[in-house]
Amino acid sequence: MKNNKKEKSNALRNYIYMLRFIGKHTPFMLFGYLFFDVLATLPWTLTNVVLLKYIIDVVSEGKDYHRIFIALIGFVLFIIIGNLLTTLFYEVSMPKQKEKLYFSLYKTIYEKAAKMDFEAYDNPEYYNDLVLAMTSMNDRAQAVLSNTQDILTNIAGVLTIGTVIITIDPMCLVFVALCVAIMTPIGRKIAKVNVERTEAMTPLDRKNLYFCRVFYLQDYAKELRLSGAGKMIEARYNKNIFDRIFTISPYLSKQWKLYFCQESLPMTMLIYLGITIFMGYKAIVTKEIGMGDFAATFNGAASISNSVFAITSWFAISIRENGLYVEKFKRFMNAKEKILSGDVKTVFNKPVTIKFENVSFAYPGTEKKVLKNINLEISPYKKIALVGYNGAGKTTLTNLLLRLYDVTEGRITVNGIDIRDWDIKSYHENFAAVFQDFSLFGATLGENVSMNDTPDKENVKKALKASSFDRELPEDTDSILLREFDENGVSLSGGEAQKIAIARAFYKDCPFAILDEPSANLDPVAEYSLNHSMSKASEDKTVIFISHRLSTTVMADEIYMLENGEIVEHGSHEKLMEIDGKYAYMFRLQAEKYNEQQNAKKD
Ligand code: ADP
C-alpha cells in the first residue's frame, strides 16, 4: 500500500517534470493545449445541461419565448468564438509549436548523449534509457499534454455541472458518488490488468522492433539478399505474432468482463435508472422540481460520472504509464559523468612528451585487467606503432590516452601533467584521432575532413592529398557525401571512405595524431603511398598508429608489441627483427603470406 502511494507520487512528480519541461521550452503550447480544449468542449457540456434546462423552464413557464432565442444566440456565439480560437490554435499555431517542442526535446537529448562518457555505452541501463529517450519521448510529451488537457476539461465539467446540479438537488450527487465508488475500483483493476498486459508484451514488442530494424537498415540488406537469412527471420517474425496473440488473449478475456461491469452496471442502474426514477418522481408526482431541472440533472449526472471516472482512471493509468517513461528520461538526463574535467586548458602548438606510468586497466563492470603495468614514454615527433594479436589491448591503450576511459591504476601524463587534470575539451583539441570504425557524415567532402561547417578548401585538399584520396568529385570539396541529404550524394568505396577519415588527422592542426588501423581497407598500392605521404604530412606531429599490416610499421621510429595487455617487445623495426622474437615471427609470417598470394596470382 505504502509502495503503491510512493509510486503514484513519484509518477505524479515525473508527470509534472514533463509539463515543466514543455512549459519551459514552449510555454504557448502548454497554455494553448490546456486552455483551448476546455474552451472548445465546455460549451457543449453546458448546452446539454444548462441550456436544455433553461429552454425547458421557459417553455414550462409558457411566456417570454424570446428568451430562448437570446440564450441560443449567446450559446452559438460562445461556441463560434471558442471554435475559431481553438481552430486557429490547433491548425496554425500548434504544428509550429510542436516542431519547437521536438526540437528542444531532441536538442536536449543529443547534447546530453554527446556529453556522456564513452563508457556509458557499455552500461545496458544507460543505453536502454538513451534508446527510449530517442525513440519515444516526443510521443510521451504529446501524451502528457493530451492527458492533462483531458483532465482539465473533465475537472472544468465537474465543477460547472456539479454547481448546477447542487442548486437543483444535492441528492443527485449521492447517486453520482455511488456510481463513481463502484466504477473506480473496477477501473483500478482494469489499470492493473493493463500494466500486466504491457509488461507481458514488452519483450515481444522489443523483438518486433528488431525485425523492423533487420528489414529497413542497410547493414542487413546484403545478407538478406544473398542468403536464407530473410526466410529465417520471417519464420521468427511469424512465431512472434503467434506468441503475441497467445500472450494477449488471457488479458483480453479478463478486460472485457471488467469493462462491461464498469460501464454498464453502475451507469445504467444508478444514473439512467436511479436518477430518472428519483427525479422523475419529484418532477411528475410531487412536482418539487420543473421538467427543465429533471432533464438537466439526468444529463448532468451522466456527464459528471463519466468525468469523475476519467479523472480517477487518469491517476490510475495515464499518470503511472507516462510517469514510468518520464522516469527513464529523467534518469538519462540526470546520469552523472565519471570522466571529470580538470582545470588545465593548454592546447600545445607542438608535440610534447607522453608518458604511461604503471598503467593498468579493467573495463568498468569487469574484473579482468586488459592492460597490465604499462610503462612507455613517447618523445615529441616520434612515429609509434602498436602491434599485436586481436584483443592484445592496443585500442584500449589509445582509448585511455584519449580519455575515453580513465586508468584503473597508474597515470598517463602529457608534458608531465596527469591527463585527468585537463579540461576534457581542451585536452581533446590536442589530438586528431581516426578510428577503425570511423564514420562519414551526410555533409560535404570538405566538412567531412574539417569536421566543422567552415572547411578551409586549400587545407582540405592538402589533407586529402596526404591521405592519397585522388578521386575527382563533381563539385570538388563541396560535393555532398552519402544520400541522406542529397539524392545525388556521392557513394564511396571502403578504401575511399577510409582515406577521407585519415585526411581528418592531417587537416587538424594539432600536435598528436592517433590512427587505429589506418590501412585496413586499402589495397597495397594505396597503403604504400599512404605510408609515404603519412610520414611527410605528419612531420610536425607525434603519430601513434595501430596496425595489423606490419609493412606499415617498418616506417615507425618505435614499435610496441602487446600481448595479453602487456608490452612484450619494443624498439625499431630493425632492432626487433634482430632480436628475432614475436614481432619478427609475425612480420615474416605476413611477408610469406603476401609473397604466396602474389605468386599464386602470377600463376
Ligand atoms: P586490440 O585493439 O588489441 O584488438 P582491445 O583493446 O580492443 O584489443 O581489447 C582488449 C581486451 O579488452 C579484449 O579482451 C576485449 O575483449 C576487451 N574489451 C574491449 N572493449 C571492451 C569493453 N567495452 N568492455 C569490456 N571489455 C572490452
Side-chain angles (χ1 to χ4, degrees):
M1 187 71 180
K2 235 181 178 175
N3 272 348
N4 207 4
K5 259 191 185 163
K6 198 172 160 210
E7 198 180 302
K8 262 188 209 153
S9 83
N10 275 346
L12 190 61
R13 227 176 284 142
N14 291 335
Y15 205 88
I16 292 168
Y17 171 91
M18 189 36 95
L19 281 179
R20 283 175 59 183
F21 182 94
I22 298 169
K24 185 174 155 204
H25 294 281
T26 43
F28 188 62
M29 180 158 176
L30 182 63
F31 165 76
Y33 241 90
L34 306 187
F35 175 71
F36 288 114
D37 198 60
V38 176
L39 193 68
T41 45
L42 199 57
W44 296 105
T45 325
L46 288 177
T47 310
N48 274 345
V49 180
V50 182
L51 184 63
L52 185 71
K53 167 178 156 43
Y54 189 75
I55 293 172
I56 296 176
D57 283 347
V58 173
V59 171
S60 312
E61 280 173 25
K63 53 178 185 174
D64 297 334
Y65 290 116
H66 68 279
R67 284 187 293 157
I68 297 179
F69 183 67
I70 294 170
L72 271 177
I73 293 203
F75 262 94
V76 167
L77 275 180
F78 189 25
I79 288 172
I80 289 178
I81 293 171
N83 267 353
L84 179 71
L85 292 176
T86 39
T87 311
L88 276 176
F89 173 71
Y90 282 109
E91 302 305 326
V92 180
S93 173
M94 202 188 61
K96 294 184 215 157
Q97 295 288 323
K98 239 184 189 172
E99 291 297 327
K100 226 171 122 187
L101 173 65
Y102 294 168
F103 167 77
S104 312
L105 197 57
Y106 280 101
K107 188 166 175 276
T108 314
I109 295 171
Y110 294 158
E111 279 174 1
K112 177 71 184 173
K115 223 170 63 184
M116 265 318 280
D117 300 338
F118 185 66
E119 75 159 78
Y121 287 86
D122 297 334
N123 175 350
E125 191 181 71
Y126 167 82
Y127 197 64
N128 281 342
D129 290 350
L130 169 65
V131 171
L132 194 106
M134 292 273 189
T135 52
S136 65
M137 277 328 285
N138 52 352
D139 290 344
R140 281 303 138 188
Q142 181 74 43
V144 165
L145 273 176
S146 309
N147 289 151
T148 315
Q149 183 186 56
D150 283 351
I151 236 55
L152 279 192
T153 312
N154 280 313
I155 289 174
V158 169
L159 290 180
T160 44
I161 309 228
T163 315
V164 175
I165 289 185
I166 284 178
T167 56
I168 299 171
D169 190 336
M171 256 312 277
C172 289
L173 290 185
V174 176
F175 282 93
V176 170
L178 264 176
C179 180
V180 170
I182 299 172
M183 279 164 103
T184 302
I186 307 178
R188 255 194 224 130
K189 185 101 184 87
I190 292 177
K192 195 165 165 263
V193 179
N194 250 334
V195 170
E196 284 168 6
R197 175 179 142 177
T198 311
E199 278 169 4
M201 293 299 278
T202 303
L204 301 167
D205 289 343
R206 215 168 31 228
K207 283 188 192 169
N208 258 8
L209 283 178
Y210 170 73
F211 297 128
C212 275
R213 278 204 309 275
V214 168
F215 286 102
Y216 80 70
L217 284 183
Q218 200 178 357
D219 311 27
Y220 300 92
K222 272 191 204 158
E223 266 96 352
L224 285 184
R225 275 152 192 76
L226 298 174
S227 66
K231 284 266 166 291
M232 174 181 84
I233 296 293
E234 249 179 75
R236 301 234 157 123
Y237 177 66
N238 288 343
K239 181 174 177 307
N240 197 42
I241 297 296
F242 279 115
D243 288 350
R244 291 175 72 84
I245 295 171
F246 183 74
T247 310
I248 205 170
S249 296
Y251 297 102
L252 296 180
S253 80
K254 268 188 210 166
Q255 273 173 318
W256 82 262
K257 288 173 206 150
L258 288 167
Y259 274 122
F260 179 73
C261 291
Q262 177 206 48
E263 273 165 27
S264 331
L265 299 181
M267 253 339 218
T268 318
M269 303 308 288
L270 287 160
I271 306 295
Y272 298 134
L273 206 63
I275 289 198
T276 312
I277 294 172
F278 177 69
M279 295 302 276
Y281 179 79
K282 284 191 154 187
I284 298 164
V285 181
T286 64
K287 302 221 183 303
E288 286 169 61
I289 56 166
M291 285 313 279
D293 292 340
F294 171 67
T297 43
F298 178 74
N299 273 354
S303 155
I304 279 199
S305 304
N306 276 326
S307 292
V308 175
F309 173 65
I311 296 167
T312 50
S313 353
W314 174 72
F315 268 100
I317 305 173
S318 314
I319 278 222
R320 189 172 164 174
E321 193 182 320
N322 289 320
L324 220 68
Y325 278 91
V326 179
E327 173 76 38
K328 292 186 177 173
F329 174 66
K330 255 170 74 181
R331 194 167 63 189
F332 163 73
M333 290 306 296
N334 295 335
K336 291 261 176 295
E337 292 120 67
K338 287 191 202 148
I339 307 282
L340 302 175
S341 223
D343 303 325
V344 181
K345 287 203 165 158
T346 317
V347 178
F348 296 109
N349 54 15
K350 61 181 181 22
V352 289
T353 303
I354 296 173
K355 255 188 183 177
F356 280 63
E357 297 174 15
N358 299 321
V359 168
S360 295
F361 178 70
Y363 277 97
T366 65
E367 296 283 309
K368 189 183 156 214
K369 284 188 181 165
V370 294
L371 286 179
K372 293 166 217 151
N373 209 26
I374 299 285
N375 283 292
L376 60 90
E377 180 169 336
I378 302 171
S379 306
Y381 302 106
K382 292 283 186 220
K383 312 295 173 244
I384 305 295
L386 300 176
V387 301
Y389 296 105
N390 288 336
K394 305 178 294 291
T395 302
T396 307
L397 197 140
T398 55
N399 283 346
L400 292 183
L401 179 59
L402 289 169
R403 261 206 105 191
L404 294 176
Y405 297 88
D406 269 342
V407 298
T408 318
E409 285 167 37
R411 65 176 200 150
I412 302 172
T413 63
V414 172
N415 205 29
I417 304 169
D418 192 320
I419 63 173
R420 286 169 291 197
D421 294 336
W422 237 283
D423 169 78
I424 295 199
K425 207 164 171 291
S426 315
Y427 182 69
H428 283 160
E429 279 172 33
N430 288 295
F431 288 87
V434 181
F435 302 105
Q436 216 170 350
D437 44 1
F438 61 87
S439 310
L440 292 188
F441 297 94
T444 67
L445 172 63
E447 286 166 337
N448 263 288
V449 173
S450 68
M451 301 292 264
N452 59 40
D453 50 9
T454 51
D456 177 312
K457 279 193 184 180
E458 279 321 301
N459 285 340
V460 168
K461 283 187 183 172
K462 263 194 226 161
L464 286 168
K465 192 161 177 255
S467 70
S468 338
F469 181 86
D470 47 14
R471 180 167 161 193
E472 300 264 327
L473 297 184
E475 288 175 60
D476 200 19
T477 57
D478 291 332
S479 308
I480 301 269
L481 305 187
L482 313 185
R483 303 256 162 96
E484 269 76 3
F485 292 102
D486 186 349
E487 278 177 25
N488 301 319
V490 179
S491 296
L492 300 151
S493 72
E496 286 166 343
Q498 187 155 27
K499 287 174 191 172
I500 294 174
I502 294 168
R504 289 172 184 162
F506 297 134
Y507 181 90
K508 191 169 174 184
D509 186 18
C510 62
F512 307 110
I514 295 184
L515 308 164
D516 192 347
E517 288 286 338
S519 57
N521 291 312
L522 304 186
D523 57 56
V525 178
E527 187 186 346
Y528 176 79
S529 79
L530 172 70
N531 289 346
H532 194 68
S533 54
M534 195 159 80
S535 37
K536 247 182 87 186
S538 57
E539 268 168 3
D540 58 342
K541 292 185 192 336
T542 298
V543 180
I544 301 169
F545 65 97
I546 297 174
S547 186
H548 278 115
R549 303 247 195 120
L550 299 190
S551 49
T552 331
T553 58
V554 177
M555 54 153 290
D557 297 312
E558 193 117 21
I559 299 164
Y560 286 87
M561 166 110 187
L562 276 96
E563 199 174 74
N564 295 327
E566 287 174 290
I567 297 173
V568 287
E569 285 176 16
H570 82 99
S572 65
H573 172 73
E574 290 74 25
K575 182 180 156 198
L576 293 183
M577 290 308 283
E578 216 176 279
I579 296 173
D580 200 17
K582 297 186 173 178
Y583 173 82
Y585 171 74
M586 253 175 105
F587 186 82
R588 282 200 202 98
L589 203 67
Q590 282 196 3
E592 270 168 31
K593 276 242 162 75
Y594 182 73
N595 288 336
E596 271 170 27
Q597 277 169 5
Q598 295 307 308
N599 291 338
K601 268 189 197 162
K602 274 185 211 154
D603 295 345

